[in-house]
Amino acid sequence: MTAKTSADGVVVQRSELWRVNRYLWLSLLFAGIWLWLRSQDLPSADRHAVALVFALSITNLSLRSWLALRNVRGTTGQLGWAFTATDVVLIAIAVHITGGMKSDLWLFYFLLVVTETVSVSVKAELLLQAIVILGLTEAVYPI
């Protein structure tokens, strides 16, 4: 893998930038298979909503991966938080549509917390955990 050097002289391996995205792609593949198998149990309107959320998830992750490979810092800072917030919202919608706490997709919040906190500060980790708790609460709270 090739290395990139940022403006402040930090050398970052492309493989490091791809590390988190690799797990997210594998997880999205698993979610797609799970949703496809489970879609027969959902009403038609919910199937269309789930398909839309899945398409938005693919778009979000594609953009995140593309930026991670192009930028020395990957998707960090405010841009990284925007992607993470989008992940939380998309997971919340998918969990809500597929049955709330009865849905297996709420487990993706654990994956999100683990992959996104690999190399962040304790303060950022606590903020992410708070955002995930809010997302999960919204996803399973009966409306």
Side-chain angles (χ1 to χ4, degrees):
M1 289 282 162
T2 60
K4 290 183 171 183
T5 305
S6 67
D8 57 356
V10 176
V11 176
V12 180
Q13 296 292 329
R14 280 186 187 253
S15 60
E16 292 174 20
L17 298 174
W18 180 247
R19 184 180 59 207
V20 170
N21 288 339
R22 174 183 55 200
Y23 295 114
L24 295 176
W25 275 111
L26 289 172
S27 300
L28 192 57
L29 174 65
F30 171 79
I33 293 169
W34 185 89
L35 289 169
W36 178 72
L37 293 172
R38 178 108 191 322
S39 66
Q40 291 77 20
D41 300 337
L42 298 173
S44 179
D46 287 349
R47 278 196 300 265
H48 295 299
V50 166
L52 177 62
V53 170
F54 188 68
L56 290 172
S57 298
I58 290 172
T59 303
N60 181 51
L61 189 51
S62 296
L63 184 59
R64 176 189 288 220
S65 297
W66 182 70
L67 289 172
L69 291 172
R70 291 201 63 213
N71 188 351
V72 174
R73 292 287 185 189
T75 51
T76 59
Q78 291 178 344
L79 184 60
W81 282 108
F83 281 115
T84 300
T86 303
D87 292 339
V88 169
V89 169
L90 291 171
I91 294 170
I93 293 169
V95 167
H96 186 75
I97 293 170
T98 58
M101 282 304 287
K102 294 179 183 176
S103 171
D104 295 328
L105 294 180
W106 67 268
L107 294 168
F108 280 98
Y109 281 120
F110 288 113
L111 175 75
L112 186 67
V113 168
V114 170
T115 59
E116 294 292 329
T117 59
V118 169
S119 60
V120 298
S121 67
V122 173
K123 183 179 175 181
E125 185 175 346
L126 292 174
L127 178 60
L128 176 64
Q129 289 172 356
I131 292 169
V132 166
I133 289 169
L134 289 173
L136 180 58
T137 302
E138 180 61 33
V140 300
Y141 188 76
I143 296 176

